[in-house]
Amino acid sequence: MSPVVVLVGPPGSGKSTIAALLAGRLNVRHRDTDADIEAAAGKPISEIFVDEGEPHFRALERAAIVTALQADGEVLSLGGGAILDADTRANLAGHAVIFLDVSLAEATKRVGLSVARPLLLGNVRTQLRNLMEARRPLYAEVAKLTVMTDGKPPEQIADEILEHLA
């Protein structure tokens, strides 16, 4: 049992949008581990960060990913920092993992000044650049395919992924 495909990438790469589109085309469920965490905790991720801190959030995230990777036939999107955990990266081996890459300029436009993203508070562009530089090698490490999302409509990105899965 395993997901049909797992999407990873930085904030603003389009994981949730593309996952929902792929799920619709494949006639399967879309599962987002951030949504699973919020449902289990009964509050938004930003509040988990404030109330319990990032280590607590990462523990919840790890548990959500372990559960989600056991589900069969879903399109799974992971939170941007999920790949920071070495055990999660190891668990992703053998899965169809797609890294949705995005330039800093495009990610900044897409993310905006969202307070729902606790790790991007302050100077969004600088924080996002630092996150992307630190995480890019980890996304590439777990991915079977990297798709650059800049300047492409979601439908085209979904087409590229479906061609790879065929």
Side-chain angles (χ1 to χ4, degrees), residues 18-89:
I18 302 304
L21 189 57
L22 286 170
R25 288 194 184 178
L26 295 167
N27 200 28
V28 298
R29 181 173 177 253
H30 165 219
R31 182 176 200 157
D32 183 314
T33 54
D34 281 352
D36 289 352
I37 294 163
E38 290 181 339
K43 57 184 166 182
I45 288 171
S46 58
E47 287 183 25
I48 297 169
F49 267 77
V50 169
D51 296 346
E52 288 93 21
E54 185 177 358
H56 179 75
F57 168 75
R58 295 296 174 199
L60 294 175
E61 181 176 55
R62 173 80 185 123
I65 291 168
V66 167
T67 299
L69 287 175
Q70 295 171 6
D72 203 23
E74 296 180 335
V75 173
L76 177 61
S77 55
L78 303 185
I83 46 75
L84 294 172
D85 184 89
D87 291 333
T88 293
R89 291 194 309 276

Side-chain angles (χ1 to χ4, degrees), residues 103-140:
S103 69
L104 176 61
E106 186 67 21
T108 303
K109 280 194 290 190
R110 293 178 186 175
V111 170
L113 299 174
S114 174
V115 296
R117 298 177 190 265
L119 292 180
L120 297 181
L121 294 177
N123 183 325
V124 173
R125 186 176 172 84
T126 299
Q127 298 288 20
L128 192 53
R129 184 190 69 229
N130 293 342
L131 282 178
M132 290 172 75
E133 287 174 359
R135 295 174 180 178
R136 187 167 271 118
L138 300 176
Y139 295 132

